[in-house]
Amino acid sequence: LNLLLRESTILYSPQLLRYDWDPDKVSAVKTGDNVASLIISNLTSLQPSALWTLCVISCFGFKSDTSLLRLLRGSSIYPDGGFDLASLVEHGFVELFGSVVSFSHDLIHQHVYEKMPVNKRQKLHFDIGKTLAAKTILDSRISQQPIEASMEQLFLFDGGDGH
């Protein structure tokens, strides 16, 4: 519905105090079989930083702790403007529950992850693992539990060899 409003397919009429639309425009809108398909079709409208954020999150699996994303600061993985979680939440790609960010649907996670070329995906897994390992060795105050769980996820998703 937000997409239809954003693209002015459906408009609110203050004079009529209701939403109004052109039936031809509405019927011309291409939708998938489900909400996830519709959301996936909007990936192309995202800024590059938001797409990159989805790629990084997808390497952790269906969900990740935002503290892990913050640990990636200062690395080549971390974009100049930071991770674009606000835009992703606004567009319905991910949801935030406290410090946990998760994909709003498993099909979105699957699509993002599988659309990355295998060599790019493997390099991203390796770089994330290397960065997290270096950060945890340098700072003993960092809790090991979410990192250990994420490291397991990183190696599970890339085929198990870590490269």
Side-chain angles (χ1 to χ4, degrees):
L1 185 57
N2 286 333
L3 172 69
L4 297 175
L5 288 168
R6 242 188 337 266
E7 293 181 353
S8 299
T9 305
I10 296 176
L11 299 168
Y12 183 73
S13 171
Q15 292 173 325
L16 300 174
L17 300 174
R18 66 177 185 162
Y19 286 95
D20 202 13
W21 60 88
D22 177 347
D24 293 331
K25 275 186 173 181
V26 172
S27 62
V29 173
K30 294 181 182 179
T31 60
D33 294 335
N34 57 45
V35 173
S37 298
L38 182 61
I39 293 171
I40 288 169
S41 70
N42 291 322
L43 279 171
T44 56
S45 68
L46 288 176
Q47 295 294 321
S49 63
L51 282 172
W52 179 247
T53 302
L54 282 176
C55 290
V56 172
I57 295 169
S58 76
C59 286
F60 287 103
F62 185 76
K63 62 183 177 179
S64 175
D65 196 287
T66 56
S67 63
L68 294 173
L69 296 177
R70 284 192 299 276
L71 285 174
L72 298 175
R73 285 184 184 146
S75 71
S76 61
I77 301 162
Y78 196 77
D80 289 338
F83 289 113
D84 192 0
L85 290 177
S87 171
L88 297 174
V89 169
E90 179 184 324
H91 285 89
F93 293 106
V94 299
E95 298 170 342
L96 277 173
F97 300 101
S99 67
V100 175
V101 60
S102 65
F103 283 88
S104 55
H105 197 283
D106 62 336
L107 290 177
I108 298 169
H109 169 253
Q110 181 181 351
H111 178 82
V112 169
Y113 189 76
E114 290 178 356
K115 286 294 180 183
M116 272 191 289
V118 173
N119 61 339
K120 180 179 180 179
R121 191 168 57 210
Q122 289 174 336
K123 181 178 181 341
L124 184 54
H125 277 279
F126 181 77
D127 291 345
I128 291 170
K130 185 174 70 173
T131 301
L132 291 178
K135 296 268 180 149
T136 57
I137 289 169
L138 293 174
D139 191 344
S140 60
R141 297 171 296 175
I142 297 172
S143 170
Q144 297 295 315
Q145 286 181 327
I147 293 173
E148 287 172 3
S150 294
M151 294 295 273
E152 289 175 19
Q153 287 293 330
L154 288 169
F155 292 118
L156 286 174
F157 275 98
D158 78 349
D161 62 7
H163 294 104

